[in-house]
Amino acid sequence: MTTPLLEGVRVLNLASVGPAARAGRWLADYGAEVVNVGAVPARGAVQITPVFHAYSGHRGMRRILLDLKVERGRETFLRMAERTDVVIESFRPGVTDRLGIGFETVCERNPKIVYCSTTGFGQSGPSSQWAGHDLDYLAVGGYLAVGEPGARGNPALPGATLADSAGGGMHAVIAILAALVRGEGAYLDVSVADGVLSLMSLAVDEYLATGSEPGYQHSMTSGRYACYGTYRAGDGRWLAVAAIEPKFWANFCRLLGLEKWATHQTDDTVQDQIREDIAAALAAGDRDSWVAILSGSDTCVAPVLTVAELTEDPQYRSRDAFAAAVHPEHGELRQTAPLLAGMVRSGLPYQLPSGTHSTQLLLEAGFTEAETKELLAEGTVA
């Protein structure tokens, strides 16, 4: 496949960081023309600008700065929206309406617009005006309560911003693509907390159906049994064991010389002893030696790789998971390539953008050269 799946789809993204910015990243990697819309520099104001390597350096994207607090800035945005398929915003509920660029206003200019509002708790409800970040959404969505407690008995911090990524960013992308398939204008109320709740649906549905409340060590995948957990190898590095099916568990026990436990996989009375025996067996060798023995032998065992290790991992390298890029100020660097199924990858180093592309974008939106120069000169556009 050489033609990007979203080639020709145009997106205006009003978010610079967070879930909506991740959504823009994925849409661009599918070939959409994504334009990031930021605020013009204001005297004494703090501008939120992500570090140069964030969101894959905004490869394949362009940027314009608008003063949306003045009439000409609002009108400029609305004129650009007339030739756009998707608008993404992440202001608190009600802000875009007060700015004069809300869904109803944009829809009057472009009835087929897909307008995606991405917020922490959604456009309605008693929490809708709360400020929040990833950890908050994982907290209210039940994710933190189910995981293994930390050293103080506290809900452990996750190793990735799962709410921002899956609960928000991918949630937004899925909703946008569904609306584009339908081919009609749509307003999408993307709540990150709702996205986390959907990710927790197996646990939540179990409680709603049976009254049994999931938590740590409640089930196979939450630490109840020794066959599903993490263990330290002799060199201090870690292995993940996920031998859920009896045949995988039997293979695992055999290769560790623990055949006596093969028929006790879900025997609650001996789980602590099994864990002790597994830990002692794995402590006798280093992590990578055990990977060589176990991982290819139908045991569902994998190494716990650090970020540095995974960037050199043979599996990821064989799938071209990383790409070369060149930044105008920071020079050559590596970054994650477009990874999701159906994304088209370039064989050349990605040329990362810097600064703004305002003149080009305004001309493409139908502004005359005179209008463009005037907007730039008065500071409405930067």
Side-chain angles (χ1 to χ4, degrees), residues 308-356:
E309 287 177 320
L310 70 84
T311 62
E312 302 299 331
D313 181 67
Q315 173 67 17
Y316 284 131
R317 291 178 69 88
S318 73
R319 293 182 61 80
D320 297 323
F322 308 101
V326 179
H327 190 278
E329 284 85 43
H330 298 277
E332 297 181 2
L333 65 145
R334 292 173 70 205
Q335 58 182 201
T336 52
L339 293 173
L340 303 184
M343 290 179 175
V344 176
R345 304 180 186 183
S346 168
L348 300 173
Y350 289 104
Q351 302 298 315
L352 304 183
S354 180
T356 62

Side-chain angles (χ1 to χ4, degrees), residues 35-109:
V35 175
N36 293 320
V37 182
V40 295
R43 184 176 301 174
V46 177
Q47 301 295 316
I48 300 176
T49 303
V51 294
F52 74 94
H53 51 77
Y55 310 107
S56 297
H58 295 97
R59 63 170 176 249
M61 299 179 176
R62 293 182 291 175
R63 187 167 180 247
I64 187 171
L65 305 183
L66 298 177
D67 187 351
L68 295 174
K69 295 182 178 180
V70 300
E71 181 59 34
R72 291 198 71 182
R74 291 191 288 272
E75 178 61 22
T76 298
F77 177 84
L78 292 172
R79 285 180 62 179
M80 293 181 70
E82 291 175 2
R83 303 189 181 198
T84 295
D85 301 293
V86 180
V87 168
I88 306 174
E89 62 91 4
S90 61
F91 295 105
R92 291 198 197 190
V95 171
T96 54
D97 286 333
R98 291 196 294 272
L99 289 173
I101 59 168
F103 170 66
E104 296 296 337
T105 303
V106 173
C107 196
E108 290 176 0
R109 308 285 283 265

Side-chain angles (χ1 to χ4, degrees), residues 81-295:
E82 291 175 2
R83 303 189 181 198
T84 295
D85 301 293
V86 180
V87 168
I88 306 174
E89 62 91 4
S90 61
F91 295 105
R92 291 198 197 190
V95 171
T96 54
D97 286 333
R98 291 196 294 272
L99 289 173
I101 59 168
F103 170 66
E104 296 296 337
T105 303
V106 173
C107 196
E108 290 176 0
R109 308 285 283 265
N110 181 356
K112 290 189 174 182
I113 196 71
V114 174
Y115 196 105
C116 179
S117 294
T118 301
T119 58
F121 297 96
Q123 299 295 307
S124 61
S127 304
S128 61
Q129 292 293 332
W130 287 10
H133 279 300
D134 189 271
L135 190 65
D136 303 302
Y137 314 132
L138 294 176
V140 301
Y143 179 89
L144 295 184
V146 174
E148 183 175 4
R152 296 177 286 111
N154 57 297
L157 292 175
T161 52
L162 297 176
D164 279 5
S165 299
M170 285 190 175
H171 179 181
V173 169
I174 292 168
I176 288 167
L177 294 181
L180 289 173
V181 168
R182 185 171 181 176
E184 300 176 3
Y187 179 74
L188 305 172
D189 174 7
V190 172
S191 159
V192 180
D194 287 358
V196 173
L197 179 58
S198 72
L199 296 175
M200 293 295 298
S201 62
L202 283 177
V204 175
D205 286 348
E206 178 183 353
Y207 171 73
L208 293 174
T210 70
S212 177
E213 185 171 5
Y216 177 55
Q217 293 191 327
H218 170 78
S219 64
M220 177 70 75
T221 57
S222 60
R224 180 170 179 175
Y225 302 113
C227 63
Y228 198 93
T230 53
Y231 296 90
R232 191 193 301 268
D235 59 355
R237 295 188 288 181
W238 292 80
L239 293 153
V241 178
I244 294 176
E245 291 81 359
K247 66 177 182 179
F248 297 146
W249 172 244
N251 289 338
F252 178 75
C253 290
R254 174 177 54 81
L255 291 169
L256 262 63
L258 300 175
E259 290 92 340
K260 66 179 180 178
W261 297 126
T263 58
H264 295 271
Q265 181 179 12
T266 57
D267 181 349
D268 285 300
T269 65
V270 293
Q271 293 303 307
D272 287 341
Q273 183 60 56
I274 297 175
R275 288 190 183 91
E276 290 179 9
D277 287 356
I278 292 174
L282 293 176
D286 62 78
R287 184 197 68 184
D288 291 346
S289 295
W290 282 119
V291 169
I293 295 169
L294 299 171
S295 297

